[in-house]
Amino acid sequence: MNSKVVVIGPPGSGKTTVGRLLAERLGVPFRDTDHDVETTAGKPIGEIFVDDGEEHFRALERAAVQDALATHDGVIALGGGAILDPGTQADLAGHRVVYLEVGLSDAVKRVGLASARPLLVLNPRSQFRKLMEERRPVYERLAVLKVATDDREPADIADEIVKGLS
């Protein structure tokens, strides 16, 4: 069985937290492409947006996703917006992609609207709703498994994914 699983979803859906638990349960390594981008750039994502712009960030993100898909045999958590890239969408075909679905109020609680989320700077709640509405159809189209995360413990979500993929 292919051990590679790709976790997608909006900010606050639990990609990193659930991804780590899922990797643990599957006995495979975990990788977070946002972390890869920060390591490559030598600074946090928020600073990349401010210093270099979103376009530069997206290019770094695209490269990180390509590398992870090509070299990592485990669980990969993608940044929330990585799926907007048509190349990434094509690359995900044939992979076991899990979409972590989260409602606006749960996502806002988890992310915190004052945090370093560069796309949520002005009117965070409205921006977040817009972002989720734009991305939802793409998340749903790419996923082989959709898991609701609202009011649930990460461990329960990871268990559901293991069952859903087996």
Side-chain angles (χ1 to χ4, degrees):
M1 178 168 103
N2 174 9
S3 59
K4 190 177 298 184
V5 178
V6 182
V7 182
I8 63 173
S13 60
K15 296 177 299 288
T16 301
T17 304
V18 171
R20 284 186 203 285
L21 292 170
L22 181 60
E24 210 174 89
R25 283 161 173 68
L26 297 174
V28 298
F30 172 76
R31 186 159 167 185
D32 184 327
T33 60
D34 276 352
H35 176 77
D36 293 350
V37 167
E38 291 182 336
T39 301
T40 299
K43 54 186 162 185
I45 287 171
E47 285 182 27
I48 300 168
F49 265 79
V50 171
D51 298 347
D52 311 305
E54 182 176 1
E55 196 175 315
H56 180 70
F57 166 73
R58 294 294 175 201
L60 291 174
E61 180 177 59
R62 171 78 180 119
V65 171
Q66 279 181 300
D67 183 62
L69 289 172
T71 64
H72 186 80
D73 200 25
V75 176
I76 304 167
L78 301 191
I83 49 88
L84 298 174
D85 184 284
T88 295
Q89 291 178 30
D91 291 347
L92 289 173
H95 287 289
R96 297 189 304 163
V97 178
V98 177
Y99 164 35
L100 298 184
E101 188 179 41
V102 63
L104 184 65
S105 64
D106 273 52
V108 166
K109 271 184 255 166
R110 294 176 193 169
V111 169
L113 292 181
S115 73
R117 305 283 176 160
L119 294 180
L120 304 179
V121 175
L122 304 168
N123 193 345
R125 188 174 283 269
S126 164
Q127 288 292 102
F128 198 77
R129 177 178 287 114
K130 183 174 174 264
L131 196 140
M132 286 175 76
E133 285 168 5
E134 286 171 358
R135 295 177 183 178
R136 184 176 293 113
V138 181
Y139 292 136
E140 290 181 346
R141 180 169 45 80
L142 296 172
V144 297
L145 180 65
K146 179 168 96 172
V147 180
T149 65
D150 287 359
D151 300 317
R152 297 182 64 196
E153 290 300 315
D156 297 336
I157 297 163
D159 290 341
E160 180 179 332
I161 295 168
V162 171
K163 278 187 209 123
L165 293 175
S166 58

